[in-house]
Amino acid sequence: MTAQFGTLHTVTPESTLENEVAAIALQSPSHFSRCFEKRTGCTYTRYLMQLKLRYAARLLLLTQLPIASISPQAGFPTLSYFYKIFRDCYGVTPQEYREKNAKEDFS
């Protein structure tokens, strides 16, 4: 089972549906969901959202890509949804996050 969870880190935004990942793990979606939550302490959906947010945060800090380009690249369907979820998680907008952390890196 552990090797199967390692596969999640290589899942692309195009194939992130839980039933597709369950198929990769050779499990039914319901069994995968139960095992995943038991093993990680969070649902697959929450875990995937955390991965997407971490990826977006890295892009904000390591690139000068426009936020409108980062949002779909990180797997968010709309820019407004990305802003809402990002702010809920980090307490600031993506732009504020980029500005705040850029200042910390160079001060």
Side-chain angles (χ1 to χ4, degrees):
M1 179 85 112
T2 302
Q4 293 167 342
F5 282 116
T7 303
L8 291 177
H9 294 288
T10 61
V11 172
T12 63
E14 296 81 30
S15 64
T16 54
L17 295 176
E18 189 169 4
N19 61 343
E20 292 175 3
V21 177
I24 292 169
L26 303 175
Q27 299 176 357
S28 71
S30 61
H31 181 72
F32 173 79
S33 181
R34 284 191 308 275
C35 290
F36 187 89
E37 189 166 0
K38 183 177 180 181
R39 179 116 170 119
T40 65
C42 70
T43 65
Y44 172 76
T45 303
R46 182 181 197 97
Y47 179 82
L48 182 61
M49 186 62 64
Q50 290 169 349
L51 285 179
K52 289 178 178 184
L53 285 168
R54 277 188 245 139
Y55 180 66
R58 282 182 54 89
L59 289 176
L60 286 166
L61 297 180
L62 299 177
T63 73
Q64 291 302 313
L65 288 171
I67 294 168
S69 296
I70 291 173
S71 172
Q73 192 170 337
F76 292 92
T78 65
L79 187 58
S80 61
Y81 182 66
F82 173 60
Y83 265 84
K84 179 194 180 324
I85 296 299
F86 195 93
R87 185 177 204 132
D88 288 349
C89 180
Y90 291 100
V92 293
T93 67
Q95 184 64 40
E96 291 167 339
Y97 181 85
R98 178 180 264 169
E99 291 168 358
K100 177 180 183 253
N101 289 290
K103 287 178 186 172
E104 288 177 6
D105 288 343
F106 299 109
S107 16

